[in-house]
């Protein structure tokens, strides 16, 4: 803010100029001064544009909070490659870098919409950078990128310098009001037979050194895809719209070899369906060498196992599978009217095959069945499946919880709530939480929470912790969908406030998975290490197909609404999956696509 004397001095100087020079001279002088101050050097590369306002730009480093788990990571039981700090991918050895130096950020004044870009630091001798890191500015700093070391020293080498850089983008509307420095995005130009795995970001117009990064030989890489947009310039000109995404391998699952590098993808010309100009790594070594052994698995569960809280008004609590069988669950076969009691171990269940509709489970149609619906919290436990993820660089610990019955849902339309009678009813309900553990350190990296037909990955920065590094999960009333915080979560349209209402809250009803668990599968450990229970081989439904028309109940409620609201609400509910309507009993854990594949989100 200029002081009053300064303003008066400027006015006086201007009056003198008016007296001494004519109007055209003054305009020319002002324009020359303005052009001098705002001089710019601009060149085009693809759709990117570089603006050079001041050579001596000072990078303003925002106040960045770093995240750490509440408690230190313990010393894990001894083993082979798990938590050793490095992972051998065959010709390459990789390390996880989690320390970064801020390079440039967008929208520093409005951090909610901005992103920050970081250079990995503390890279050990012999290892090389593969790309920089990016994340949302409003979140505490927490991420990783991999650095690589050439083990084979083969010809051609596994790692090589780029031959040049291509300027992908830089802001073309720079002013002192929207940022404090420039950002320049560089794609390494890989030699023939090599791929780039990430981008470099600088805050100066000069090209980075070719020694800054390495490209990887083609046969050691795999394809990747963008999966979450971090930043969008929202330019009115489509060709100038710059976007930044997180990246993940295209091929994911317990048998896949693709390895996430942790870098980002950016472009202003890419369209969905096109191949990316960057890749991920491939694990050509055994994916199991970096995985935890059985003792380490138990230690991980005891250290990280979450506690699930059920709603204080929950009627349909979980139980163990054996309790469900012992208390009267029946197995039905197509064409037969009478059900067969199931052995507590599930030994008389049909094994293998597929969900062909030939068999299903149901409850007795009497007071016994009503009692089973309530579950038995004292007997309940989580059933644990341990598997490799992202080419063996992570371990997924999937914890499955069984509830004998799924209760009715609640319809929300604006401010009105309609408790449903049948919609959501079905016998048998399987939900799960997956802990994703870094095999470099044994650190909890992310938690997946199943929510009806899908789910979400939640970063630890958005989790609640109850004891040390044990997280809290909130199960919704009646439906048992999992959420990181208590409150109301709407499945439908949050903007229109129309959908199925999921309500979660803490209570005295809880299940501690760090104590009440059973490991039912860990295929990578080999035969005989973990014996799978008989019921896990049952691939058919854990409940019958519902005979009533659940959607008719929703339609009756919608028909009471005014026409405009009715049509809007109907369009929202038409997009909801059938699972929410309870029209089919669920299949068991091993029949889910996430058993062998990645989580659905």
């Amino acid at each position: 803010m200029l002081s009053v004397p300064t303003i008066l001095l400027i006015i006086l100087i201007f009056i003198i100029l008016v007296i001494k020079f004519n109007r055209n001279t003054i305009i020319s002088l002002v324009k020359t001064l303005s052009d001098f101050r705002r001089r710019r050097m601009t060149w085009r590369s693809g759709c990117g544009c570089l603006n050079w306002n001041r050579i001596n730009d000072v990078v303003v480093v925002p106040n960045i909070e770093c995240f750490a788990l509440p408690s230190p990571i313990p010393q894990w039981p001894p083993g082979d490659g798990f938590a050793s700090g490095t992972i051998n991918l065959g010709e390459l050895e990789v390390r996880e870098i989690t320390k970064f130096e801020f390079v440039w950020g967008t929208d520093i004044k409005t951090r909610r919409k901005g992103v920050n870009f970081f250079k990995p630091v503390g890279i050990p001798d012999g290892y090389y950078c593969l790309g920089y890191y990016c994340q949302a500015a409003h979140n505490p700093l927490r991420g990783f990128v991999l650095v690589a070391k050439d083990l084979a020293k083969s010809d051609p080498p596994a790692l090589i310098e780029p031959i040049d850089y291509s300027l992908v983008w830089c802001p073309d509307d720079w002013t002192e009001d929207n940022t404090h420095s420039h950002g320049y995005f560089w794609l390494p130009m890989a030699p023939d037979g090599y791929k780039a795995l990430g981008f470099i970001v600088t805050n100066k117009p000069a090209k980075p050194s070719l020694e800054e990064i390495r490209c990887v030989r083609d046969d050691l890489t795999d394809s990747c895809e963008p999966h979450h947009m971090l930043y969008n310039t929202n330019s009115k000109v489509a060709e100038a719209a710059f976007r930044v995404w997180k990246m993940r391998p295209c091929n994911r699952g317990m048998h896949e070899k693709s390895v996430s590098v942790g870098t980002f993808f950016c472009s202003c010309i890419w369209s969905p369906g096109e191949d990316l100009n960057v890749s991920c790594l491939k694990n050509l070594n055994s994916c199991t060498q970096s995985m935890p052994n059985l003792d380490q698995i138990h230690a991980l569960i005891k250290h990280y196992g979450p506690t699930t809280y059920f709603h204080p008004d929950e009627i349909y609590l979980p139980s163990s599978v054996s309790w469900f069988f012992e208390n009267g669950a029946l197995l039905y076969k197509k064409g037969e009217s009478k059900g067969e009691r199931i052995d507590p171990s599930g030994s008389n269940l049909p094994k293998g095959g597929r969900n062909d509709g030939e068999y299903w489970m149901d409850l007795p149609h009497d007071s016994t069945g009503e009692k089973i619906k309530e579950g038995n919290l004292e007997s309940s436990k989580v059933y644990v499946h341990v598997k490799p993820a992202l080419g063996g660089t992570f371990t997924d610990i999937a914890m499955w919880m069984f509830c004998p019955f799924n209760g009715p849902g609640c319809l929300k339309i604006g401010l009105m709530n309609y408790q449903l009678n049948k919609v959501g009813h079905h016998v048998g309900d399987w939900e799960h939480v997956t802990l994703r553990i870094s095999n470099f350190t044994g650190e909890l990296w992310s938690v997946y929470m199943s929510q009806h037909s899908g789910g979400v990955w939640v970063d630890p920065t958005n989790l609640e912790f109850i004891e040390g590094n044990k997280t809290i999960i909130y199960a919704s009333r009646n439906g048992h969908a999992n959420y990181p915080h208590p409150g109301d979560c709407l499945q439908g349209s949050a903007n229109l406030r129309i959908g199925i209402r999921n309500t979660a809250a803490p209570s005295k009803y809880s299940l501690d998975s760090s104590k009440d668990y059973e490991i039912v599968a860990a295929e990578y450990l080999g035969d005989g290490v973990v014996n799978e229970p008989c019921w896990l081989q049952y691939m058919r439904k854990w409940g019958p197909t519902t005979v009533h028309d659940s959607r008719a109940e929703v339609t009756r409620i919608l028909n009471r609404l005014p026409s405009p609201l009715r049509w809007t609400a109907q369009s929202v509910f038409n997009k909801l999956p059938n699972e929410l309507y309870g029209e089919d009993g669920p299949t068991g854990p091993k029949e889910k696509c996430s058993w062998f594949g990645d989580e659905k989100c």
Side-chain angles (χ1 to χ4, degrees):
M1 206 64 186
L2 297 176
S3 63
V4 174
T6 302
I7 294 173
L8 292 175
L9 179 60
I10 292 173
I11 293 173
L12 179 60
I13 293 172
F14 186 82
I15 292 173
I16 294 172
L17 288 172
V18 170
I19 294 172
K20 189 170 183 63
F21 302 98
N22 60 35
R23 179 175 178 272
N24 291 336
T25 303
I26 294 172
I27 292 175
S28 177
L29 178 62
V30 171
K31 186 175 184 303
T32 300
L33 291 172
S34 176
D35 289 344
F36 179 78
R37 182 182 181 277
R38 296 176 57 84
R39 70 183 183 274
R40 59 175 55 183
M41 179 179 68
T42 304
W43 70 82
R44 292 277 177 179
S45 175
C47 65
C49 171
L50 171 70
N51 296 333
W52 187 7
N53 292 69
R54 292 195 304 267
I55 295 178
N56 295 321
D57 279 326
V58 176
V59 178
V60 177
V61 179
N63 184 20
I64 298 174
E65 176 188 358
C66 295
F67 175 83
L69 292 172
S71 296
I73 298 175
Q75 183 71 39
W76 305 112
D80 296 325
F82 177 73
S84 64
T86 63
I87 294 179
N88 186 319
L89 303 183
E91 292 193 37
L92 292 176
E93 184 177 83
V94 291
R95 295 184 70 97
E96 191 180 71
I97 299 296
T98 57
K99 294 182 179 180
F100 300 101
E101 176 185 285
F102 175 81
V103 177
W104 186 73
T106 68
D107 302 321
I108 290 178
K109 292 186 178 180
T110 56
R111 290 180 60 195
R112 193 72 194 172
K113 298 180 181 179
V115 290
N116 290 330
F117 298 89
F118 299 89
K119 173 183 179 179
V121 295
I123 300 176
D125 291 341
Y127 291 83
Y128 294 95
C129 174
L130 302 175
Y132 282 17
Y133 174 71
C134 172
Q135 73 164 50
H138 63 272
N139 290 334
L141 177 59
R142 184 176 188 270
F144 77 93
V145 292
L146 299 187
V147 294
K149 178 181 182 179
D150 190 344
L151 294 178
K153 308 295 184 182
S154 58
D155 186 21
L159 300 173
I160 197 169
E161 293 180 0
I163 56 177
D164 199 359
Y165 291 99
S166 172
L167 180 66
V168 176
W169 185 85
C170 73
D172 59 2
D173 61 345
W174 181 86
T175 69
E176 291 183 356
D177 294 329
N178 63 16
T179 188
H180 291 262
S181 66
H182 308 278
Y184 306 88
F185 292 77
W186 305 93
L187 172 66
M189 306 301 293
D192 289 342
Y194 289 82
K195 294 286 184 66
L197 275 65
F199 295 81
I200 284 183
V201 183
T202 65
N203 46 48
K204 294 292 186 293
K207 286 185 180 181
S209 167
L210 296 179
E211 297 179 355
E212 179 74 18
I213 199 169
R214 291 294 187 272
C215 301
V216 180
R217 205 174 66 229
D218 199 351
D219 61 306
L220 305 179
T221 68
D222 211 343
S223 58
C224 57
E225 63 186 16
H227 74 106
H228 174 68
M229 188 178 293
L230 293 169
Y231 183 69
N232 186 355
T233 56
N234 294 317
S235 173
K236 295 180 180 179
V237 182
E239 291 77 9
F242 179 68
R243 298 178 177 90
V244 180
W245 293 266
K246 290 183 178 180
M247 281 200 305
R248 67 181 181 187
C250 295
N251 304 311
R252 302 180 306 280
M254 62 184 284
H255 298 305
E256 301 294 344
K257 305 292 186 180
S258 301
V259 173
S260 175
V261 183
T263 54
F264 63 90
F265 170 67
C266 63
S267 178
C268 51
I269 58 175
W270 180 83
S271 298
E274 295 180 351
D275 292 336
L276 304 190
N277 50 16
V278 288
S279 301
C280 64
L281 288 171
K282 184 188 295 183
N283 190 350
L284 300 181
N285 204 354
S286 169
C287 285
T288 64
Q289 290 190 355
S290 59
M291 295 291 292
N293 59 32
L294 191 58
D295 289 339
Q296 291 167 337
I297 292 172
H298 284 293
L300 289 166
I301 294 173
K302 293 179 186 302
H303 185 74
Y304 291 121
T307 293
T308 299
Y309 282 102
F310 302 92
H311 194 277
D313 299 326
E314 182 62 72
I315 300 173
Y316 309 107
L317 290 165
S319 77
S320 67
V321 170
S322 59
W323 183 93
F324 179 62
F325 294 160
E326 289 170 355
N327 283 270
L330 301 172
L331 175 67
Y332 283 84
K333 184 177 181 181
K334 188 176 181 179
E336 298 181 3
S337 59
K338 187 177 180 180
E340 176 188 356
R341 287 291 297 265
I342 304 173
D343 182 82
S345 66
S347 59
N348 60 331
L349 292 171
K351 299 177 180 60
R354 59 185 178 85
N355 181 25
D356 52 12
E358 291 294 317
Y359 295 90
W360 64 90
M361 296 183 195
D362 202 355
L363 302 178
H365 300 292
D366 55 21
S367 59
T368 302
E370 294 301 314
K371 187 66 177 176
I372 294 175
K373 289 181 180 180
E374 298 176 4
N376 181 264
L377 189 58
E378 290 74 22
S379 72
S380 64
K381 63 176 75 172
V382 296
Y383 299 97
V384 178
H385 178 212
V386 188
K387 59 180 181 175
L390 300 176
T393 55
F394 287 86
T395 295
D396 277 1
I397 301 178
M399 298 179 159
W400 292 87
M401 179 185 71
F402 176 72
C403 293
F405 197 75
N406 193 92
C410 180
L411 195 67
K412 183 176 181 62
I413 303 175
L415 298 177
M416 303 300 294
N417 295 298
Y418 302 90
Q419 186 61 50
L420 302 169
N421 295 319
K422 296 181 179 180
V423 175
H425 266 195
H426 59 78
V427 175
D429 186 27
W430 282 102
E431 298 287 352
H432 72 286
V433 169
T434 298
L435 310 179
R436 179 157 286 180
I437 309 292
S438 168
N439 287 348
F440 291 96
T441 61
E443 181 180 357
L444 174 67
W445 203 257
S446 189
V447 177
Y448 178 83
M449 301 185 184
S450 68
Q451 298 168 354
H452 303 301
S453 59
V456 294
W457 281 106
V458 182
D459 191 88
T461 58
N462 194 34
L463 290 173
E464 297 178 15
F465 293 86
I466 186 172
E467 178 187 341
N469 293 330
K470 299 176 182 178
T471 61
I472 298 177
I473 309 293
Y474 296 93
S476 65
R477 184 188 177 194
N478 292 350
H480 316 119
N482 297 301
Y483 296 95
H485 305 289
D488 286 343
C489 298
L490 196 65
Q491 189 157 6
S493 173
N495 292 333
L496 298 174
R497 294 188 293 179
I498 297 174
I500 299 295
R501 178 186 176 193
N502 296 278
T503 303
S507 73
K508 63 181 180 180
Y509 307 120
S510 64
L511 173 60
D512 184 352
S513 65
S514 70
K515 298 176 182 177
D516 301 316
Y517 70 92
E518 177 185 345
I519 300 175
V520 296
E523 294 91 341
Y524 72 91
L525 290 177
D527 296 336
V529 178
V530 175
N531 295 315
E532 298 186 5
C534 296
W535 57 261
L536 191 59
Q537 314 306 322
Y538 173 72
M539 299 300 176
R540 277 78 173 188
K541 294 177 183 176
W542 287 67
T545 300
T546 307
V547 295
H548 60 264
D549 186 359
S550 299
R551 289 182 181 267
E553 185 180 357
V554 175
T555 301
R556 284 194 296 270
I557 294 173
L558 297 181
N559 286 339
R560 303 173 195 167
L561 303 175
S563 294
L565 182 58
R566 180 170 70 248
W567 294 118
T568 301
Q570 186 67 61
S571 66
V572 172
F573 284 103
N574 285 342
K575 298 175 183 178
L576 296 179
N578 285 336
E579 287 89 339
L580 284 175
Y581 293 91
E583 296 176 354
D584 250 343
T587 52
K590 205 166 187 176
E591 184 68 8
K592 308 295 186 185
C593 60
S594 64
W595 186 268
F596 296 103
D598 199 12
E599 299 291 354
K600 181 181 178 182
C601 56

